[in-house]
Amino acid sequence: MARIRVLTALKIKRNLKPGMYADGLGLYLKVRPGNSKSWIFRYRTGGKLRDMGLGPFHTVSLAEAREKAEVCRVMRLKGLDPLNERLKEQQAKTIEAIETITFEKCAEGYIAAHKAGWKNGKHADQWTATLQTYVYPVFKDKPVAAIDDTLVLKVLQPIWRDKTETASRLRGRIERILDWARVMKYRAGENPARWKGHLDHLLPKRSKVAAIVHHPALPIDETPGFFQILRQEATVVARAFEFCILNATRTNEAMGMRWDEYDEQAQLWTVPGVRMKAGRDHRVPLAQRSQRILAQMQEIRTGQFVFPGGVQERPLSSMAFLMLLRRLERKDITAHGFRSTFRDWAAERTDFSNEVVEMALAHTISNKVEAAYRRGDLFDKRRQLAEAWAAFCAGTAPSKP
């Protein structure tokens, strides 16, 4: 008959040689080199010997180890495998933990994972602000696995008609967070915030509930007169604004221009992709008037920015152009609207092709086939376009391409 309860607390505390010391009925004390000790329950199933750890000796006493071994023996009598049962228990706890992960935690995880790649550092704050305002009051603490159509619609429906742009952006943010949660295995199934083939059947199209609001633009024929007034302003802001209009760029692209982006010999400005909406570098051929503006700014250069702001080594404030227009008593137009003025002028007053103009505006090509075959950036033709636009702004008839 096999001996049981062989081990004693006194014997265990001694310095034992490495090996397995049986207590009986499948319980062993395993001693490793260095005298570290742990409990093992050894059993055979399907013809194979299996060892199940019951914990280290410094944490699990002899009496506790015997109790754990007894539980394992009862499982064996029931035809269960103790190791498999432990794995199932661990998996159940993992599933339970996953099911309690909230939408807010997933939103924080998504933002933390992506904010380093966002061009504007304010995006993380904007995401958090819109979520706090519209989403969290509805399902902040809800398990992300429980977010469904009803909850998403409860957020979107109240603002879909009156704040359509905000609601549309919010829907996209919820969708991306839920997609992130699915990839992280925190939820499964369809994304309830998906638009195409889902919410488009439950909510009216944006175009049906809110008119697209364009940036107020200056009429074509008023542009030369406006430029005469603008050139009388002897300020950095005025020169930056003029430079921005002449090159039909977005405000942040011109305001953030650095001297190392300017190639004076090639008469070229390369806007880095990090500051471009499309995320790609954009080459801008500079008209003579643009180069003269840069020469003026070179004379008062104080740092890395071409158009420095009031704070050392910082560009102009994002509000600078708006304040300039207010000072000029032109609240009826916006800086961004001049891109529309340029677009209208090119279409109505010149023979430059649409392709050249779209390149000048750095618009993304929506047609994938056309994008695949277009290799160059029509640089030489765009230089002619830039000179023609500058001449028109100065009050001279534009030359034909």
Side-chain angles (χ1 to χ4, degrees):
M1 182 175 178
R3 297 174 61 195
I4 60 173
R5 296 182 180 270
V6 176
L7 299 175
T8 64
L10 181 62
K11 181 178 180 180
I12 295 170
K13 290 179 181 179
R14 295 173 184 170
N15 287 329
L16 301 174
K17 294 180 179 179
M20 299 281 282
Y21 294 83
D23 185 57
L25 301 179
L27 179 62
Y28 290 84
L29 178 72
K30 184 174 183 178
V31 180
R32 295 180 176 82
N35 205 40
S36 66
K37 304 166 184 175
S38 61
W39 297 106
I40 300 292
F41 178 70
R42 176 169 285 182
Y43 63 99
R44 189 178 295 275
T45 180
K48 295 182 179 181
L49 201 62
R50 305 195 76 181
D51 286 351
M52 177 176 174
L54 301 180
F57 170 66
H58 61 71
T59 302
V60 180
S61 67
L62 174 58
E64 291 170 334
R66 285 170 175 167
E67 291 177 2
K68 289 188 174 187
E70 176 65 19
V71 172
C72 292
R73 288 194 290 271
V74 171
M75 288 185 190
R76 296 297 297 129
L77 287 174
K78 294 179 179 180
L80 302 175
D81 186 323
L83 275 172
N84 288 346
E85 293 305 307
R86 174 189 283 177
L87 180 60
K88 290 179 183 178
E89 183 180 355
Q90 291 172 343
Q91 290 175 338
K93 289 180 178 178
T94 300
I95 292 172
E96 183 180 359
I98 288 174
E99 289 178 346
T100 60
I101 291 178
T102 66
F103 178 85
E104 181 186 25
K105 288 294 182 184
C106 289
E108 291 172 350
Y110 178 90
I111 292 171
H114 291 82
K115 66 180 180 181
W118 287 335
K119 292 184 289 186
N120 191 333
K122 295 180 181 179
H123 283 175
D125 294 336
Q126 292 170 349
W127 271 64
T128 302
T130 53
L131 293 173
Q132 288 177 340
T133 302
Y134 301 106
V135 179
Y136 291 167
V138 179
F139 52 79
K140 172 184 178 179
D141 296 323
K142 291 280 186 183
V144 72
I147 306 304
D148 57 11
D149 297 349
T150 301
L151 289 172
V152 172
L153 287 172
K154 191 174 181 180
V155 170
L156 297 178
Q157 282 180 329
I159 60 174
W160 192 254
R161 292 181 180 275
D162 299 330
K163 300 178 180 179
T164 310
E165 181 65 27
T166 298
S168 180
R169 290 182 182 179
L170 190 62
R171 183 209 62 77
R173 289 170 182 175
I174 296 173
E175 180 182 20
R176 287 192 283 276
I177 291 169
L178 293 180
D179 276 343
W180 180 87
R182 180 182 55 79
V183 173
M184 295 295 290
K185 310 299 184 186
Y186 296 150
R187 63 173 285 121
E190 290 292 325
N191 191 322
R194 178 169 53 86
W195 177 255
K196 191 174 183 180
H198 189 65
L199 286 183
D200 58 349
H201 298 302
L202 302 175
L203 292 169
K205 293 181 179 180
R206 289 174 54 191
S207 59
K208 299 295 183 181
V209 295
I212 298 175
V213 179
H214 295 285
H215 292 274
L218 189 69
I220 299 173
D221 291 330
E222 293 183 24
T223 303
F226 176 82
F227 256 71
Q228 289 182 5
I229 296 172
L230 181 61
R231 289 182 180 180
Q232 293 174 10
E233 291 282 318
T235 64
V236 172
V237 178
R239 295 293 72 74
F241 195 17
E242 183 183 354
F243 184 84
C244 181
I245 296 170
L246 287 172
N247 294 288
T249 60
R250 298 176 179 89
T251 56
N252 71 298
E253 296 162 9
M255 285 181 167
M257 182 182 182
R258 300 169 186 258
W259 284 110
D260 58 6
E261 299 168 8
Y262 174 43
D263 186 336
E264 184 176 2
Q265 184 174 1
Q267 302 173 3
L268 165 69
W269 169 33
T270 302
V271 188
V274 69
R275 224 163 54 248
M276 293 297 299
K277 186 175 182 179
R280 298 189 300 269
D281 289 1
H282 178 54
R283 298 200 310 161
V284 181
L286 298 173
Q288 293 182 23
R289 174 57 188 171
S290 290
Q291 294 174 59
R292 285 197 294 271
I293 291 174
L294 294 180
Q296 292 176 26
M297 298 312 302
Q298 185 71 263
E299 294 176 359
I300 60 171
R301 179 174 177 176
T302 59
Q304 61 179 326
F305 290 102
V306 175
F307 305 107
V311 180
Q312 183 69 20
E313 289 301 330
R314 294 292 298 271
L316 288 170
S317 164
S318 58
M319 296 291 290
F321 289 170
L322 176 62
M323 299 308 293
L324 173 62
L325 285 171
R326 288 181 180 177
R327 192 165 63 251
L328 296 176
E329 299 182 351
R330 293 307 303 259
K331 296 181 181 180
D332 57 321
I333 58 177
T334 65
H336 194 85
F338 276 94
R339 283 168 57 85
S340 295
T341 303
F342 167 79
R343 186 70 184 83
D344 294 342
W345 164 82
E348 298 179 20
R349 306 294 175 86
T350 79
D351 293 331
F352 287 98
S353 70
N354 179 67
E355 188 178 25
V356 173
V357 178
E358 289 295 291
M359 278 285 191
L361 289 167
H363 281 164
T364 302
I365 306 170
S366 57
N367 187 310
K368 293 183 179 180
V369 175
E370 181 184 350
Y373 282 94
R374 185 185 291 179
R375 297 293 182 229
D377 58 3
L378 306 174
F379 191 77
D380 291 336
K381 291 184 178 180
R382 287 199 292 120
R383 185 178 292 284
Q384 296 175 37
L385 176 63
E387 291 291 358
W389 173 238
F392 173 76
C393 290
T396 348
S399 57
K400 298 290 183 179

